[in-house]
Amino acid sequence: MNKRHFLQTTAALAAAAAFGGAHAQTALKFQLDWRFEGPAALFLQPAAKGYFKAAGLDVTIDSGNGSGGTVTRVASGTYDLGFADMAALMEFHANNPDAPNTPVAVMMVYNNTPAAVLALKKSGITRPTDLNGKKLGAPVFDAGRKAFPIFQKANAVSNVTWTSMDPPLRETMLVRGDIDAITGFGFTSLLNLEARGVKAEDVVVMPYADNGVKLYGNAIIASPKLIKENPAAVKAFLSAFAKGAKEVMADPAGSIATVKARDGIINVALETRRLQLAIDSVVASPDARKEGFGQVNPGRLSLMASQVSDAYATKTRINPAAIWDGSMLPSAAELNILPAAKK
């Protein structure tokens, strides 16, 4: 081989190696908190648009069956990242203090908990104190039910009794009059009631966030193993997510196609409304605008840790410093994604 041929071959091999390196994809498994419904567009959009791939990530997104399950699966190593309620994450930390791979939150998405109490206007319930002596219903693992002692204390509610049921029966039992009120995610239970023939104007919705309960909602969580071994991948994921989420909030109706692609039987109009309700109530909320998308306020996080420790009767007290790691958040410019406030 002459010198010129050798140099050409070496250059070609170097270029091939560079090309392969630039296109090498880090595989990440991500689990949602629930089914492929409207709010899932926040994650499905960056995947569909290729933003994760452009960031060097090969991201698999799976549906979930509740925040508790998502936290457990990230802790077990089955998933690298997930989307879960902060209270569920705190509960896992406090009840499993010796777990070797306890997930941490790395980006706040639902700055306020979506939890709410819902009742029908015909019941006469219009404000929290009207719940005194009433019968409430929710699945035992429902976030609103588990955090209800915090709502109860903030609003001087007493003497309530609980009825448990599977999630699909919650709104049905309210409509039938088996219970007086329910707890659930506001943007989910309201639409479920409408699907059962109840008009929106006939429903009383009492969001926790508007009634003295400033709990954080769902955050992106990551396994400590991933954070330790590849923090750059976590940061790349968060940057790509923020880019896609900005597009979703700018055009919720247009982004629902990404959800339809994952679950062909969804009701597009219904899920578009669900997504818009989620954006307005918990993603682009006044608290989120004050604190900044993706961020947490240390004092508020500490208060939540104390409230959840009490309400959930955890084995150990929750250490807020162990729950949150904001070191991989994108730049302030990348996090400036909230739409203009509605007038």
Side-chain angles (χ1 to χ4, degrees), residues 208-286:
Y208 280 27
D210 295 342
N211 288 278
V213 182
K214 293 295 185 180
L215 302 180
Y216 285 109
N218 286 33
I220 295 175
I221 64 173
S223 108
K225 182 175 185 293
L226 176 63
I227 293 173
K228 180 180 179 181
E229 296 177 358
N230 199 346
V234 179
K235 187 168 185 176
F237 180 94
L238 298 180
S239 294
F241 165 77
K243 184 176 181 180
K246 182 177 183 178
E247 294 179 356
V248 171
M249 287 188 275
D251 182 19
S255 67
I256 285 295
T258 64
V259 184
K260 181 77 171 176
R262 293 301 303 266
D263 184 351
I265 65 171
I266 67 162
N267 181 318
V268 171
L270 185 72
E271 295 310 328
T272 301
R273 283 191 60 209
R274 195 191 309 274
L275 173 58
Q276 188 66 66
L277 284 169
I279 292 169
D280 293 342
S281 62
V282 298
V283 182
S285 66

Side-chain angles (χ1 to χ4, degrees), residues 104-328:
V104 296
V106 293
M107 176 184 275
M108 185 55 57
V109 181
Y110 290 174
N111 186 281
N112 299 98
T113 176
V117 177
L118 297 93
L120 303 183
K121 283 187 178 177
K122 65 182 182 181
S123 69
I125 297 172
T126 60
R127 59 185 186 273
T129 50
D130 293 333
L131 296 170
N132 289 328
K134 294 295 192 289
K135 184 186 294 185
L136 275 67
V140 292
F141 57 82
D142 175 69
R145 177 172 177 173
K146 295 181 78 169
F148 188 78
I150 305 171
F151 180 93
Q152 198 169 5
K153 183 177 180 180
N155 295 283
V157 177
S158 62
N159 196 31
V160 302
T161 56
W162 285 94
T163 297
S164 302
M165 75 288 289
D166 290 332
L169 291 176
R170 171 175 21 202
E171 291 79 17
T172 299
M173 291 181 69
L174 180 63
V175 173
R176 287 195 318 220
D178 298 333
I179 47 183
D180 301 308
I182 59 174
T183 57
F185 277 14
F187 54 74
T188 294
S189 286
L190 176 61
L191 297 184
N192 288 347
L193 285 168
E194 288 187 39
R196 287 158 178 76
V198 181
K199 295 180 180 178
E201 57 266 29
D202 293 332
V203 181
V204 176
V205 183
M206 294 176 275
Y208 280 27
D210 295 342
N211 288 278
V213 182
K214 293 295 185 180
L215 302 180
Y216 285 109
N218 286 33
I220 295 175
I221 64 173
S223 108
K225 182 175 185 293
L226 176 63
I227 293 173
K228 180 180 179 181
E229 296 177 358
N230 199 346
V234 179
K235 187 168 185 176
F237 180 94
L238 298 180
S239 294
F241 165 77
K243 184 176 181 180
K246 182 177 183 178
E247 294 179 356
V248 171
M249 287 188 275
D251 182 19
S255 67
I256 285 295
T258 64
V259 184
K260 181 77 171 176
R262 293 301 303 266
D263 184 351
I265 65 171
I266 67 162
N267 181 318
V268 171
L270 185 72
E271 295 310 328
T272 301
R273 283 191 60 209
R274 195 191 309 274
L275 173 58
Q276 188 66 66
L277 284 169
I279 292 169
D280 293 342
S281 62
V282 298
V283 182
S285 66
D287 288 322
R289 295 181 188 282
K290 181 171 64 176
E291 295 179 7
F293 178 80
Q295 311 277 356
V296 298
N297 175 282
R300 184 179 160 195
L301 187 66
S302 293
L303 175 60
M304 178 178 175
S306 178
Q307 290 175 322
V308 170
S309 293
D310 293 337
Y312 286 49
T314 55
K315 292 179 181 178
T316 63
R317 300 298 293 180
I318 297 161
N319 175 13
I323 300 294
W324 173 256
D325 183 351
S327 66
M328 290 155 289

